[in-house]
């Protein structure tokens, strides 16, 4: 029985809403935190609490949680052309302008943009494009896709198959055949004693090559990578990783797809994670900060090689038979375009670079804390590794529920965290100021102190 008063948002929520990524049964007991409004990096609930959201929602509210300028653009777009599709040779200004803009800022030469509605759709579509490409090249058996252990690429059936995290797959009987994974990639956890980051990266590249040879290179179509692994707990690649794996992919003619859904648009201190790590992809998927998360929109950028395959197959099939009703939606595209203008006007890349040292130093200083074993970060991404023993790197037993304890304590300190297993991922809105970063660090320290006290008192 619910303990919420009748007709409260909480009671109505548990009676009607199935929440993604939420323990369905426990939610009936706990109910939701009902958010009412946002201002800058703070989000407010209906009980008058304000939280600093250290994860920008889901890595996406790059400009914070409200924006009047984008609201005005959405209103004007909806007043002028609230909807039209881009199927069968139809087009409109916002889709053209946005595609052109994305090509102009792409990290490597790209040929065409395919607009979609979410990061999952973008990855799902990019998988179809990979298969389409190899079919066009007369190599339909080149079909397997390798993604990286711990990476999240979305929740459609194909994106879940790409997502190399067992909990995203097993209850659904996924992955589909031919979705393979490589790794693990956490230097702190997975390196051998005495192994340098470069040696660790070389070992990963060697393992990848061995896996490709075992599968048969003629069956491996593409390699998927998120430049920084957000859902592995904000894990940047070990030094030299992309320099060592890319030659392996080239050697066996395996396409490289960069999932920039969280890293695109300034997050790593460059416009793209590909620039930060020297990645040269055949396709890029992006979403989230593309529209500052104010509208659902995503994009697949493809190079000329892929586009030529699509063109060739159109000759065969009469069209590129793929598309979503809302692809290139004029309101979403207008908001995305305005978001990119705002980034330029406020110098978002320079801003991220200027706040980065304080961000990395403030969170890095938490390594002294007894609960913290390691910190890694880049740009405005940071990941803390939780440990019980700093020397052996042993974890607290799962039954202790350390993550849940930290999460609850953080809420009491006005902080929203993203905790993944034994890591805490930080990805605040890109507009965060130095003072707000210091405040974030202070709330985090109070949270860790209180949790540690509680654990010791058990
Ligand atoms: C790297 C990455 N790819 C894809 C997705 C899926 O995006 P969406 O939730 O918009 O479908 C996410 C979402 O968090 C992500 O982090």
């Amino acid at each position: 029985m619910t303990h919420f008063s009748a007709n409260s948002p909480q009671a109505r929520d548990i009676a009607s809403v199935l929440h993604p990524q939420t323990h369905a049964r426990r939610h009936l007991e706990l109910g939701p935190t009902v958010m009412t409004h946002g201002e800058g990096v703070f989000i407010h609930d209906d009980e008058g609490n304000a939280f600093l959201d250290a994860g920008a929602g889901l890595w996406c509210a790059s400009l914070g949680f409200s924006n009047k300028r984008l609201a005005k653009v959405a209103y004007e777009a909806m007043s002028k052309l609230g909807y039209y599709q881009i199927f069968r040779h139809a087009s409109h200004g916002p889709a053209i302008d946005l595609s052109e803009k994305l090509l102009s800022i792409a990290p490597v030469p790209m040929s065409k943009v395919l607009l979609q509605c979410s990061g999952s759709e973008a990855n799902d579509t990019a998988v179809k494009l990979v298969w389409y490409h190899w079919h066009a090249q007369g190599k339909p058996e080149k079909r397997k896709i390798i993604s990286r252990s711990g990476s999240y690429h979305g929740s459609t059936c194909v994106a879940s198959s790409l997502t190399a995290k067992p909990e995203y797959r097993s209850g659904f009987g996924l992955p589909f055949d031919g979705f393979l994974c490589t790794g693990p990639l956490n230097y702190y956890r997975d390196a051998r004693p005495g192994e340098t980051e470069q040696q660790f990266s070389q070992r990963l590249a060697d393992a990848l090559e061995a896996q490709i040879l075992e599968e048969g290179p003629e069956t491996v179509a593409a390699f998927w990578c998120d430049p920084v692994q957000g859902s592995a707990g904000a894990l940047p690649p070990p030094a030299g990783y992309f320099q060592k794996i890319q030659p392996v992919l080239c050697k066996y003619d395996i396409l490289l797809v960069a999932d920039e859904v969280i890293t695109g648009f300034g997050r790593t201190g460059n416009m793209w994670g590909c620039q930060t790590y020297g990645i040269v992809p055949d396709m890029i998927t992006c979403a989230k900060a593309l529209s500052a998360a104010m509208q659902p929109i995503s994009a697949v950028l493809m190079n000329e090689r892929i586009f030529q395959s699509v063109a060739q197959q159109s000759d065969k099939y009469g069209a590129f038979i793929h598309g979503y009703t809302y692809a290139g939606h004029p309101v979403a595209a207008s908001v995305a375009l305005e978001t990119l203008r705002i980034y330029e006007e406020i110098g978002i890349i320079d801003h991220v670079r200027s706040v980065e040292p304080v961000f990395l130093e403030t969170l890095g200083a938490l390594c002294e804390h007894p609960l913290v074993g390691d910190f890694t970060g880049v740009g405005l991404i940071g990941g803390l590794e939780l440990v019980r023993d700093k020397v052996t790197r042993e974890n607290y037993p799962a039954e202790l529920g350390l993550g849940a304890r930290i999460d609850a304590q953080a809420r009491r300190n006005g902080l929203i965290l993203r905790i993944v297993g034994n890591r805490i991922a930080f990805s605040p809105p890109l507009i965060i100021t130095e003072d707000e970063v210091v405040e974030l660090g202070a709330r985090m320290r109070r949270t860790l102190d209180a949790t540690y006290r509680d654990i010791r008192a058990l």
Side-chain angles (χ1 to χ4, degrees), residues 184-191 200 229 232 235 374 385 423:
L185 302 123
N186 183 343
Y187 177 69
Y188 179 74
R189 290 271 170 216
D190 307 316
F200 179 53
Q229 293 188 288
L235 199 63
D374 190 39
E385 188 89 35
R423 287 181 70 85

Side-chain angles (χ1 to χ4, degrees), residues 121-184:
E121 278 180 16
N123 281 316
D124 199 300
T125 294
V127 169
K128 285 177 80 180
L129 285 168
V130 164
W131 289 337
Y132 208 54
H133 168 76
W134 290 119
H135 272 258
Q137 299 308 308
K139 297 181 179 171
E141 70 287 356
K142 212 165 161 65
R143 202 169 169 80
K144 293 176 189 162
I145 311 244
I146 302 180
S147 56
R148 305 184 308 151
S149 165
S151 286
Y152 177 70
H153 295 292
S155 283
T156 62
C157 289
V158 160
S160 298
S161 296
L162 278 175
T163 294
K165 291 166 81 83
E167 66 274 25
Y168 285 82
R169 299 164 150 195
S170 42
F172 302 98
L174 291 168
F176 289 137
D177 284 348
F179 286 83
L180 315 170
C181 104
T182 183

Side-chain angles (χ1 to χ4, degrees), residues 58 118-121 123 152-155 226 231 259 261-262 287-288:
L58 297 173
S118 69
S120 303
E121 278 180 16
N123 281 316
Y152 177 70
H153 295 292
S155 283
D226 35 355
S231 355
D259 176 344
V261 168
I262 60 168
K288 299 203 187 237

